[in-house]
Amino acid sequence: IAGTVTYTFVPDPNQCASNQTLVVTVNPSPILMITNPDAVCSPENINLTSQNITLGSTNVGFLTYWTSLSPMTAMTTPTVVSGSGTFYIQAVSGFGCLSSIEPVYVVIHSLPIASFVPSTALLSSFYTECEMINSSQNAVSYLWDFGDSTATSTETSPTHTFPYDIYGNYNVQLIAISEFGCVDTAYQSVKVKEELVYYVPNSFTPNNDGFNDVFLPVFKSGFDPNHYSLLIFNRWGQIVFESHDVNASWDGQNISGGEMVQDGTYTWKIEFKAKLSPQRRIITGHVNVLR
């Protein structure tokens, strides 16, 4: 029992000696009360001294940490734990009294591995549907962000349709979640390629009736409007119209004098540069002027 005890020794009455008194002090042993730390996800560490240890007595000099009891092996880093396992703690008082060795159980969950590939990384603006093929490991749920401001998805391997009229790279994000709530993230890039789309009419009627009065090639996508020219020739090869503005139309007037050209068939030539090619392209055809 901890405390101070006084013992008095009484000699044999037949001997000549005085009484002697002995004072014995019994110091208390430290008492450890341990609460196991909450589980965390790797690569997070657990610091054993920052939580979960309560001393049930005072005058404790220091704590000793062990990774094994048979044989007893001290921790090289006494407080920080980076992996799951059972560790042991013992308190030592200033008088050298030892507490019992108490176990502390540490759980650090490993992360899942997020992984996926798109069914195709290069999409045409004509067809922008793509399947995300999920190859994640140790995950039970998923969260997808397709990088195009549309709704997220929780499907395992979703099929997504990207905008057909917004071209470029989309950064697709997958968050994989384990049964313990640990997460890992993977990214892949999907590109929507702008296709060349245009239409050139073959006839127009410049009679000012408000219907089909001008000749205007229509370029919708896939071209560079800064590198565009339109030439129209009569049957003798003379230029009757010229423009470098993709929005400019021909109303049937002759470029040389401003008078209306005669009815008939005229040859057009369009030179332009596609966005995805460094080379300029030339296309030709015919348009009929009818009144």
Side-chain angles (χ1 to χ4, degrees):
I1 300 175
T4 301
V5 181
T6 301
Y7 296 93
T8 301
F9 297 91
V10 180
D12 189 321
N14 297 320
Q15 299 179 5
C16 296
S18 61
N19 296 338
Q20 295 184 6
T21 300
L22 177 63
V23 178
V24 177
T25 300
V26 180
N27 294 308
S29 295
I31 299 174
L32 286 178
M33 293 177 288
I34 295 175
T35 301
N36 291 316
D38 295 333
V40 298
C41 297
S42 178
E44 190 174 348
N45 296 324
I46 290 180
N47 192 327
L48 295 180
T49 60
S50 65
Q51 57 181 335
N52 312 311
I53 301 173
T54 302
L55 298 172
S57 60
T58 58
N59 196 28
V60 174
F62 56 92
L63 298 173
T64 302
Y65 298 84
W66 312 95
T67 59
S68 174
L69 293 183
S70 180
M72 294 186 71
T73 305
M75 295 178 65
T76 55
T77 304
T79 59
V80 178
V81 175
S82 59
S84 299
T86 302
F87 302 88
Y88 304 90
I89 302 175
Q90 185 178 41
V92 183
S93 74
F95 299 104
C97 301
L98 301 176
S99 71
S100 60
I101 299 176
E102 300 295 336
V104 55
Y105 303 101
V106 172
V107 177
I108 299 179
H109 297 298
S110 60
L111 298 180
I113 301 175
S115 176
F116 74 99
V117 292
S119 56
T120 177
L122 181 61
L123 298 171
S124 164
S125 58
F126 295 144
Y127 187 81
T128 60
E129 185 177 276
C130 180
E131 181 185 4
M132 305 300 163
I133 303 171
N134 193 339
S135 56
S136 301
Q137 301 178 35
N138 304 322
V140 296
S141 60
Y142 309 94
L143 182 63
W144 297 86
D145 186 331
F146 302 103
D148 57 0
S149 300
T150 58
T152 58
S153 172
T154 57
E155 296 181 35
T156 300
S157 294
T159 296
H160 183 70
T161 301
F162 292 91
Y164 70 89
D165 56 348
I166 303 177
Y167 318 109
N169 292 312
Y170 292 91
N171 198 28
V172 182
Q173 178 193 69
L174 166 62
I175 300 176
I177 307 168
S178 75
E179 61 178 313
F180 305 109
C182 302
V183 300
D184 188 35
T185 305
Y187 298 90
Q188 291 286 351
S189 179
V190 175
K191 182 177 182 180
V192 176
K193 179 180 67 172
E194 181 181 2
E195 298 289 355
L196 177 63
V197 179
Y198 66 89
Y199 164 72
V200 183
N202 59 10
S203 301
F204 75 109
T205 57
N207 54 12
N208 296 319
D209 65 353
F211 178 74
N212 197 27
D213 285 329
V214 296
F215 170 73
L216 178 63
V218 179
F219 279 73
K220 299 293 291 184
S221 65
F223 76 105
D224 185 350
N226 296 315
H227 295 83
Y228 170 89
S229 66
L230 168 63
L231 297 174
I232 300 177
F233 306 88
N234 61 20
R235 69 180 65 184
W236 297 282
Q238 298 170 324
I239 297 176
V240 297
F241 179 78
E242 180 178 0
S243 173
H244 301 281
D245 182 356
V246 71
N247 296 310
S249 59
W250 181 42
D251 61 2
Q253 294 188 46
N254 194 322
I255 191 174
S256 62
E259 74 277 4
M260 298 297 292
V261 299
Q262 297 180 352
D263 287 4
T265 300
Y266 294 80
T267 300
W268 54 261
K269 173 184 175 183
I270 298 176
E271 185 174 355
F272 65 95
K273 177 181 174 298
K275 279 188 175 180
L276 300 180
S277 171
Q279 296 180 342
R280 297 179 66 89
R281 295 182 57 180
I282 297 176
I283 56 177
T284 59
H286 297 89
V287 58
N288 297 310
V289 176
L290 306 173
R291 290 187 181 87

